[in-house]
Amino acid sequence: LDLTISPNELAPTQSDPNLLLNAIQLAYASNQDDFGDVAAQLTRIEYFNGRNYFNALSGTTLNAPWARTYSSDFTIPGNGNVDVGILTNLQALELIDAESDVDFSFHIALGKIMYAH
């Protein structure tokens, strides 16, 4: 019998490391999609919506990738309703690895590579 009060508010030690790695991968894929769109517009591969770079790119252009990297925000792949955060999930993985007998160094290494890129 699972006595979890709210599956959306688990303690880090109750989280599944495989699902945390999946969330990191979704955030990384979403960030790459956003960066690709902006880069395609800047190089005029896609329609840029203006002649002036300063006016066409607002200060909020990269808010979603920043939020997905350092806190939590929505993902592009999947249903778009999954809250993820590369750094927050990476820190949770490190906490689980420190308290567990199971070695999650593979998960942590992949997370650090995606966070660094």
Side-chain angles (χ1 to χ4, degrees):
L1 182 61
D2 185 12
L3 299 176
T4 303
I5 303 297
S6 173
N8 295 327
E9 297 177 10
L10 295 175
T13 55
Q14 295 175 312
S15 302
D16 183 356
N18 295 314
L19 296 178
L20 290 175
L21 180 59
N22 287 349
I24 291 171
Q25 291 170 327
L26 284 172
Y28 179 79
S30 297
N31 285 349
Q32 294 307 307
D33 183 65
D34 279 354
F35 294 144
D37 287 344
V38 172
Q41 292 171 2
L42 287 173
T43 56
R44 307 294 179 148
I45 294 171
E46 287 184 8
Y47 182 66
F48 185 61
N49 194 24
R51 292 172 141 289
N52 187 331
Y53 291 101
F54 187 74
N55 291 336
L57 295 173
S58 68
T60 61
T61 301
L62 297 177
N63 278 2
W66 186 94
R68 277 191 294 268
T69 301
Y70 296 105
S71 60
S72 284
D73 201 357
F74 63 92
T75 59
I76 293 170
N79 64 8
N81 295 325
V82 180
D83 287 339
V84 296
I86 293 175
L87 183 59
T88 53
N89 286 329
L90 181 58
Q91 291 169 341
L93 274 173
E94 290 172 337
L95 180 66
I96 291 170
D97 186 53
E99 295 178 358
S100 175
D101 294 335
V102 181
D103 183 22
F104 293 111
S105 59
F106 177 78
H107 294 65
I108 293 170
L110 283 178
K112 285 185 176 182
I113 289 169
M114 288 182 261
Y115 175 65
H117 184 251

